Amino acid sequence: MISWRLRRTMVDKVTFAAVAIASIALLFVGAHVILVALVEGLPVMAEKGLRLFIESPGLPGGGIGGFGPTLIGTIVMVLTASLAGAAIGVPTGILMNEYSSWWLSKIAREALQLIAEIPSIVVGLVVFVLVVLPMGRPSALAGALSLCITALPYIAAQTRESLAAIPMSYREAAFSLGLPKWKTVLRIIVPMNLRGIATAVLLGTMRALGETAPVLFTAGAAFHAFYGLDRPSSTLSLLIFFFAQTPYENWKRLAWAAVLQLIVLSMVLAFAVRKLSGEVKL
Amino acid sequence: MDVTVKIRNLSVWYGQQKALETVSITVPKGSVYAILGPSGCGKSTLLRTVNKLILLRDGAKVEGNVEVFGVDVYNSNSLSDEVLAKVGMVFQTPNPFPHLSIYDNVAIGPKLRGQAKGKELDKLVRWALEKSGLWDEVKDRLSRPASELSGGQQQRLCIARALAIKPSLLLMDEPTANLDPLNAAKIEELIKELSGEITIMLVTHDADQARRLASSGALLFLGKVVCEGPIDSIINGSYCDLLQNLVSEHLTTQTSKTKSKEIKKRG
Ligand SMILES: Nc1ncnc2c1ncn2[C@@H]1O[C@H](COP(=O)(O)OP(=O)(O)OP(=O)(O)O)[C@@H](O)[C@H]1O
Ligand SMILES: [Mg+2]
């Protein structure tokens, strides 16, 4: 019979091995994705240089061109979605945490829960029916709206959580100054937590940047020029989606360059989030 | 006698735990009122109940009457805001706002309340910092973050912050616990100076301090008022012996209770 001590060391070793293998596997997958993107995308970047960010895609089977118009479309849509998402999501988050027993707060909580649970492709379809069909065409605006709706629950929930994390002693200090509650919340509690709120908005931006499904039916597929807010446009994720499945080598290579670009943008945002949330001094 | 705070049959719970039980006290206007008692007896809870900060805590429940300047603060919401605007508080542990400078920590109250601005605000901030004995130490670094101050300096900053809103009732939870004797003496001086003008409810573990400053007070034990009245009637003799007696009395009544239960069981 195996002694108890031996069994314990064995279980210990096996658990350690399992965890180690799982972590290494995860690391491998992540590294693999980035490595492939680098291997496929870097040569294109080296070949095209800055023109990649300005030119529009080449003809099928022709030169690589660039994703300039799509980059503009991405920035315009993601930025619009983040700003609108912040304008609605931040006050909603404040409402949910500071006035949690109010009926409006409860409604907001339920509504956001609902939106968060809807698959993002359905959000795209709803915007398609409500905005794209009446307007008669997909547009950057419709795309931004879909992205905004997908990012909204994240921004609100994160805002709320960051407010809830304010230590009770600071909260008490704020409420001991004899101000009306709304003033205490807006002029002391919220400013105390600006970093947390900025982090919440950035997380929403990251979310909007990475989504493809919401813009599939709403943003259009205009890769060759940026025509304006109310006209068809495109995002990097859409470009990858469409160009990667074509048989043309030059378009596939452009898609890889877009993959690399998307990864870089996401990492920059992730870095900013980490820097911001790491520096919260409370 | 004018009364600033009148509390009747106040009970407070944190969730299931009872922190105060049928507390009744009367705080005369313009006096220093001491709240004494061993650690955990509910002194901070009592202060928090006066200005309703207790409601910030999830699951806190308040029963009974709390009148501040004649207004029942738990039953008339519109008036209670007005009354509680006259109440300042200094907390047991220093809690200056971490996102604000030394100056702004003191200025934010009067600024947001519209009590002063510009030169006038500067003067008010200076006055408050001088009163709390901090001015000389911070006058050259008013725009530095408050978190750079030492614990005792932070405590005095919080006293200045409370003074700056010019309260008519000041709740002070062990304001000198973090301070060296010199600075503690300055704060005692300040309390003396303020009394008469405003009402102060002072929580302290220092019986001599209570005797020096307060005219009346209450002794709490396990959430109940043991006695209330002129300060000499509460602590005559050694405070340490007094607490010792309270504890041993409590222990004997508890053991006799369990004994009688046992007897009942057997019977
Ligand atoms: N947030 C809370 N949740 C649950 N129980 C609490 C909470 N705050 C205080 N209590 C309990 O209420 C009782 C009274 O606490 P309180 O802080 O009022 O004591 P105190 O008299 O101020 O003690 P000290 O002299 O140590 O400051 C204690 O038993 C404490 O454990
Ligand atoms: Mg206390």
Side-chain angles (χ1 to χ4, degrees):
Chain A
M1 197 183 133
I2 308 167
S3 81
W4 179 77
R5 184 184 288 268
L6 187 63
R7 232 182 82 171
R8 218 180 67 162
T9 30
M10 268 171 62
V11 169
D12 195 47
K13 286 220 167 100
V14 169
T15 317
F16 176 78
V19 171
I21 290 171
S23 333
I24 290 172
L26 269 179
L27 198 69
F28 183 77
V29 172
H32 186 73
V33 170
I34 292 176
L35 202 69
V36 172
L38 281 175
V39 167
E40 300 281 348
L42 268 186
V44 186
M45 289 221 159
E47 192 180 321
K48 297 292 300 185
L50 284 179
R51 281 178 298 149
L52 194 64
F53 302 100
I54 301 160
E55 289 176 4
S56 50
L59 294 173
I64 292 175
F67 45 62
T70 300
L71 194 58
I72 297 177
T74 306
I75 292 172
V76 166
M77 272 187 257
V78 169
L79 219 59
T80 312
S82 305
L83 288 179
I88 305 168
V90 170
T92 310
I94 296 172
L95 179 79
M96 287 195 298
N97 194 60
E98 303 298 324
Y99 296 87
S100 55
S101 54
W102 205 18
W103 61 271
L104 198 58
S105 179
K106 285 175 186 154
I107 289 181
R109 199 154 41 225
E110 295 302 322
L112 283 175
Q113 185 71 31
L114 192 69
I115 296 176
E117 282 163 5
I118 294 175
S120 54
I121 187 97
V122 178
V123 172
L125 267 177
V126 169
V127 173
F128 177 78
V129 170
L130 293 182
V131 179
V132 176
L133 286 184
M135 274 179 79
R137 58 169 177 251
S139 63
L141 216 52
L145 180 63
S146 314
L147 288 179
C148 173
I149 295 172
T150 0
L152 198 56
Y154 285 81
I155 298 178
Q158 206 64 37
T159 299
R160 176 189 176 193
E161 254 167 53
S162 69
L163 285 169
I166 293 180
M168 179 55 76
S169 64
Y170 295 133
R171 205 167 261 286
E172 285 188 324
F175 279 95
S176 76
L177 292 178
L179 295 161
K181 178 167 179 180
W182 66 269
K183 224 173 183 178
T184 312
V185 169
L186 291 185
R187 303 296 301 274
I188 307 181
I189 302 278
V190 168
M192 198 187 292
N193 188 44
L194 273 190
R195 277 172 191 283
I197 289 174
T199 309
V201 175
L202 276 185
L203 280 172
T205 309
M206 255 171 88
R207 177 88 192 164
L209 185 69
E211 282 280 352
T212 319
V215 282
L216 208 51
F217 313 120
T218 53
F223 299 107
H224 291 273
F226 183 72
Y227 300 104
L229 270 180
D230 59 337
R231 310 259 156 178
S233 180
S234 59
T235 66
L236 282 174
S237 55
L238 274 178
L239 184 140
I240 296 164
F241 180 74
F242 283 123
F243 281 39
Q245 13 175 350
T246 63
Y248 309 113
E249 197 53 36
N250 64 328
W251 279 9
K252 281 186 183 168
R253 295 191 69 197
L254 185 63
W256 274 115
V259 167
L260 191 56
Q261 183 58 32
L262 199 56
I263 290 180
V264 168
L265 280 177
S266 299
M267 280 183 149
V268 167
L269 280 176
F271 180 74
V273 166
R274 199 178 288 189
K275 191 114 181 84
L276 267 178
S277 53
E279 270 180 23
V280 176
K281 275 184 279 176
L282 276 179
Chain B
M1 182 181 71
D2 273 346
V3 172
T4 301
V5 179
K6 195 165 109 186
I7 293 175
R8 291 294 174 266
N9 293 317
L10 173 71
S11 297
V12 175
W13 289 261
Y14 291 106
Q16 294 300 312
Q17 198 196 347
K18 205 168 196 175
L20 290 178
E21 193 171 347
T22 53
V23 165
S24 298
I25 60 169
T26 307
V27 181
K29 193 174 171 200
S31 71
V32 176
Y33 187 94
I35 297 165
L36 300 151
S39 181
C41 68
K43 305 180 295 297
S44 300
T45 305
L46 182 57
L47 282 196
R48 259 185 228 130
T49 310
V50 171
N51 62 354
K52 288 170 85 172
L53 282 190
I54 189 87
L55 298 184
L56 290 176
R57 291 174 196 251
D58 291 330
K61 203 176 92 189
V62 177
E63 238 171 48
N65 268 46
V66 179
E67 271 185 27
V68 182
F69 297 112
V71 170
D72 183 346
V73 290
Y74 285 90
N75 291 313
S76 60
N77 281 319
S78 51
L79 282 176
S80 84
D81 275 3
E82 215 171 294
V83 160
L84 294 181
K86 295 192 241 171
V87 183
M89 183 156 184
V90 177
F91 297 84
Q92 185 165 2
T93 37
N95 53 358
F97 297 123
H99 65 304
L100 294 181
S101 68
I102 294 171
Y103 178 93
D104 284 333
N105 257 282
V106 183
I108 188 165
K111 193 163 94 187
L112 292 182
R113 294 161 56 123
Q115 285 171 310
K117 58 181 174 191
K119 280 257 154 55
E120 197 128 338
L121 186 58
D122 290 346
K123 251 178 24 203
L124 181 58
V125 170
R126 178 172 179 161
W127 170 83
L129 285 170
E130 276 173 352
K131 286 292 172 200
S132 67
L134 191 60
W135 175 253
D136 286 329
E137 286 157 69
V138 300
K139 62 170 184 275
D140 299 318
R141 47 171 171 154
L142 288 172
S143 55
R144 303 293 306 166
S147 47
E148 285 179 7
L149 296 174
S150 77
Q153 288 172 328
Q154 290 187 9
Q155 182 69 352
R156 284 177 283 153
L157 183 66
C158 292
I159 293 174
R161 177 178 69 194
L163 283 181
I165 63 169
K166 299 271 185 171
S168 307
L169 168 62
L170 187 54
L171 311 172
M172 302 182 100
D173 201 343
E174 298 183 42
T176 58
N178 285 309
L179 304 183
D180 63 83
L182 275 181
N183 281 306
K186 274 187 207 162
I187 298 304
E188 286 196 13
E189 208 47 52
L190 168 72
I191 293 173
K192 263 187 213 151
E193 196 184 311
L194 289 172
S195 67
E197 224 177 297
I198 71 175
T199 311
I200 295 173
M201 288 175 80
L202 175 72
V203 171
T204 178
H205 283 300
D206 180 347
D208 293 326
Q209 182 178 62
R211 278 197 208 95
R212 282 194 296 271
L213 299 172
S215 49
S216 58
L219 176 64
L220 297 183
F221 185 64
L222 296 172
K224 292 185 190 156
V225 176
V226 178
C227 58
E228 195 205 4
I231 197 71
D232 298 324
S233 71
I234 294 173
I235 19 176
N236 41 12
S238 151
Y239 183 50
C240 190
D241 290 348
L242 181 63
L243 294 186
Q244 192 73 57
N245 287 341
L246 278 176
V247 173
S248 51
E249 254 173 52
H250 174 68
L251 286 180
T252 48
T253 51
Q254 259 195 337
T255 43
S256 68
K257 256 185 210 164
T258 45
K259 262 184 196 159
S260 64
K261 261 185 206 164
E262 271 168 26
I263 291 168
K264 264 183 203 163
K265 262 187 207 164
R266 276 183 213 151

